[in-house]
């Protein structure tokens, strides 16, 4: 494993991405019409609810972000295959972060209202790319845009620690819980800043992702290891 690939799986980067994930969920829910951009479970439930109630037109409001999420996963995989099979100067995950940053920059200039659907689709798209591209921390499976899997893994490894007293298990459990805390921190920041800056508040995520992008470049120096 190269130093660069290690950095893309570092706890530091995962924490920053979790903050972004929590922020974006609050942003789309508070500012863009109560839609969940990250975890599509909520949108799927609301889609089914509106279908059952006969609100076919409204159901598409939740269905389109789901399609955008699927498309994001497909494109992320396409980018990964292209860059991993070629000797590029940029890591494929940096391309994903770059796409996120550009999308967020565009979204920040779109006013609330009739364009909310476009914004929710765009954010669902980049969130799916992020969750598909950043799935591990120090070799362990994590998610940076949702908490259910992390909560399950954290509690499961905590149980194994109680049973075995294996110190590795408690360290792993604490990492999972810490990522959840960073996600909550992102949600708190999102709540505070959306009240002040409304649609422009998403630029906070642009700044955080800028740090992620730069740090991944720094790690290209094989003498520098943050893991």
């Amino acid at each position: 494993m190269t130093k660069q690939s290690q950095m893309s799986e570092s706890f530091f980067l995962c924490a920053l991405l979790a903050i972004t994930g929590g922020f974006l969920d609050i942003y789309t829910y508070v500012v863009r019409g109560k839609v969940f951009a990250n975890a599509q479970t909520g949108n799927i439930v609301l889609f089914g609810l509106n279908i059952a109630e006969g609100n076919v037109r409204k159901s598409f409001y939740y269905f389109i972000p789901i399609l955008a999420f699927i498309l994001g996963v497909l494109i992320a995989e396409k980018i990964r295959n292209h860059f991993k099979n070629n000797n590029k100067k940029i890591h494929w995950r940096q391309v994903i972060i770059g796409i996120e940053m550009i999308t967020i920059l565009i979204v920040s200039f779109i006013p609330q209202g009739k364009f909310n659907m476009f914004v929710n689709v765009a954010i669902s798209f980049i969130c799916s790319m992020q969750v598909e591209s950043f799935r591990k921390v120090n070799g362990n499976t994590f998610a940076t845009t949702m908490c259910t899997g992390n909560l399950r893994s954290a509690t499961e490894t905590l149980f194994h620690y109680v049973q075995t007293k294996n110190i590795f298990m408690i360290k792993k459990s604490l990492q999972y819980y810490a990522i959840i805390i960073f996600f909550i921190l992102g949600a708190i920041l999102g709540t505070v800043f959306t009240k002040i800056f409304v649609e422009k508040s998403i630029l906070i995520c642009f700044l955080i992702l800028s740090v992620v992008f730069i740090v991944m470049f720094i790690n290209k120096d094989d003498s520098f290891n943050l893991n």
Side-chain angles (χ1 to χ4, degrees), residues 83-143:
F83 278 81
K84 290 194 76 171
N85 294 330
N86 294 277
N87 187 20
K88 304 293 184 181
K89 294 183 178 180
I90 187 171
H91 194 280
W92 70 273
R93 289 187 177 96
Q94 287 175 293
V95 176
I96 300 297
I97 295 298
I99 293 172
E100 281 195 69
M101 292 170 64
I102 293 170
T103 303
I104 285 171
L105 191 61
I106 293 171
V107 163
S108 69
F109 290 98
I110 299 176
Q112 296 182 77
K114 61 181 180 179
F115 296 110
N116 281 353
M117 172 61 77
F118 171 80
V119 170
N120 290 328
V121 167
I123 295 178
S124 292
F125 175 75
I126 62 173
C127 284
S128 69
M129 296 183 78
Q130 178 176 309
V131 76
E132 179 67 11
S133 304
F134 297 87
R135 295 187 289 182
K136 290 186 177 181
V137 176
N138 299 327
N140 299 313
T141 302
F142 276 73

Side-chain angles (χ1 to χ4, degrees), residues 105-204:
L105 191 61
I106 293 171
V107 163
S108 69
F109 290 98
I110 299 176
Q112 296 182 77
K114 61 181 180 179
F115 296 110
N116 281 353
M117 172 61 77
F118 171 80
V119 170
N120 290 328
V121 167
I123 295 178
S124 292
F125 175 75
I126 62 173
C127 284
S128 69
M129 296 183 78
Q130 178 176 309
V131 76
E132 179 67 11
S133 304
F134 297 87
R135 295 187 289 182
K136 290 186 177 181
V137 176
N138 299 327
N140 299 313
T141 302
F142 276 73
T144 60
T145 63
M146 58 195 76
C147 292
T148 305
N150 293 340
L151 185 60
R152 181 200 62 80
S153 297
T155 308
E156 179 185 30
T157 51
L158 179 62
F159 174 81
H160 290 318
Y161 168 73
V162 172
Q163 292 291 104
T164 65
K165 306 304 179 186
N166 185 339
I167 194 67
F168 171 77
M169 289 297 174
I170 190 63
K171 289 181 178 179
K172 185 177 177 180
S173 179
L174 290 175
Q175 278 195 335
Y176 279 113
Y177 283 124
I179 292 301
I180 294 171
I181 291 171
F182 279 111
F183 188 92
I184 294 171
L185 175 60
I188 293 171
L189 292 174
T191 302
V192 172
F193 283 104
T194 53
K195 290 180 179 179
I196 301 172
F197 300 110
V198 197
E199 59 265 22
K200 290 291 191 299
S201 62
I202 199 173
L203 290 174
I204 300 295

Side-chain angles (χ1 to χ4, degrees), residues 210-223:
S210 297
V211 175
V212 172
F213 189 86
I214 292 170
V215 168
M216 290 183 72
F217 265 125
I218 293 173
N219 202 60
K220 283 187 175 182
D221 179 0
D222 285 347
S223 66

Side-chain angles (χ1 to χ4, degrees), residues 13 22 44 49 55 58 72 87 100 108 143 165 167 206 208 226:
L13 255 66
I44 291 171
L49 174 65
N55 300 322
K58 189 176 180 181
N87 187 20
E100 281 195 69
S108 69
K165 306 304 179 186
I167 194 67
F206 180 88
I208 296 172
L226 293 182

